[in-house]
Amino acid sequence: MSNNNGMILKEGYFQLTIGVIATLILSTICSLASFVALIYTLFIVYIFRNPNRNIFKNSSNILSPVDGTVEAIDHKSGKTKIYINISLCDQHTLRSPIDTELKITKVQNGLNLDPYTFKGSKLNEQIKFKFNDKLKLKLIGGFFNSAFSYTKKHNIEQGEPIAIITNGLAILTIDNSYDLKIKLSDKLISGQTLIA
């Protein structure tokens, strides 16, 4: 995974290059087609934008790992599962919610189905992170997700980028001993929103 400080994430460079080339070539052939290619290029710039974030570091808090909307919260067997929808319009950098020794417990290549279906939850691109015994994160790619890009580092600071996900579902599992600070339909901002 690239830790890029530019305006656009490195993961979007290929699609952006295609859009610019298509816009230039089509501008000599057809103005309508070049306009469509330009709209595509601007959309790619928006999708892979890389805004500066002021990370609100605090070792006693869990920060949101992703930008997204809380779709569901389940309490079961001493654990709380928070389901976060990541749309194309969200910023796509996944950040560490705590200072940790990061473990990647599963990487699965897969399809691009609806992650909310049983088939999609089993067959889509997936990656699982274990931050500690009380905090885990599972990412399931969505319709428009390309292959996950993720860090190979192990010692990660709170708010540090660890992966890129274009769209899909994030399932954050935390211990019930934490005091949850979010509710359904809350809009989360990675590295800024306090989860617990």
Side-chain angles (χ1 to χ4, degrees):
M1 197 209 104
S2 64
N3 188 359
N4 175 29
N5 293 322
M7 288 176 45
I8 299 172
L9 296 169
K10 287 184 181 176
E11 289 76 9
Y13 284 0
F14 177 74
Q15 292 94 329
L16 182 60
T17 303
I18 296 295
V20 169
I21 291 170
T23 302
L24 293 174
I25 292 172
L26 292 172
S27 66
T28 61
I29 301 170
C30 174
S31 60
L32 178 61
S34 69
F35 178 73
V36 171
L38 177 63
I39 296 298
Y40 167 80
T41 304
L42 294 174
F43 188 60
I44 291 298
V45 169
Y46 179 73
I47 286 176
F48 289 100
R49 68 198 182 281
N50 189 21
N52 287 329
R53 289 274 167 93
N54 293 322
I55 308 302
F56 302 132
K57 294 179 83 168
N58 186 329
S59 60
S60 62
N61 294 333
I62 297 173
L63 299 179
S64 175
V66 294
D67 283 20
T69 306
V70 178
E71 297 282 316
I73 300 174
D74 287 340
H75 303 281
K76 185 178 180 182
S77 304
K79 303 284 184 188
T80 298
K81 285 191 175 187
I82 304 161
Y83 295 82
I84 306 165
N85 178 33
I86 305 163
S87 78
L88 278 177
C89 295
D90 290 318
Q91 205 279 324
H92 305 295
T93 303
L94 177 80
R95 299 177 188 278
S96 179
I98 60 172
D99 290 333
T100 187
E101 186 173 328
L102 181 67
K103 293 179 184 167
I104 298 171
T105 58
K106 178 181 180 180
V107 177
Q108 171 183 308
N109 295 324
L111 304 176
N112 292 90
L113 305 172
D114 182 354
Y116 290 95
T117 64
F118 177 77
K119 198 180 233 184
S121 70
K122 299 296 182 191
L123 300 177
N124 281 13
E125 190 98 13
Q126 296 183 27
I127 187 166
K128 289 183 181 179
F129 297 97
K130 181 178 180 181
F131 301 101
N132 60 32
D133 291 333
K134 296 182 175 184
L135 184 62
K136 298 174 185 172
L137 179 68
K138 178 180 180 180
L139 297 177
I140 303 173
F143 287 119
F144 304 103
N145 197 65
S146 52
F148 287 120
S149 174
Y150 56 93
T151 188
K152 304 292 192 259
K153 286 176 63 178
H154 295 290
N155 293 317
I156 303 291
E157 292 184 19
Q158 189 176 41
E160 187 176 343
I162 57 173
I164 301 293
I165 179 171
T166 309
N167 84 305
L169 177 65
I171 304 170
L172 185 65
T173 305
I174 65 175
D175 195 270
N176 278 347
S177 61
Y178 288 108
D179 181 23
L180 203 61
K181 304 289 186 188
I182 58 170
K183 60 187 184 310
L184 287 177
S185 301
D186 278 359
K187 182 70 177 156
L188 308 180
I189 300 173
S190 68
Q192 295 185 344
T193 305
L194 182 63
I195 297 280

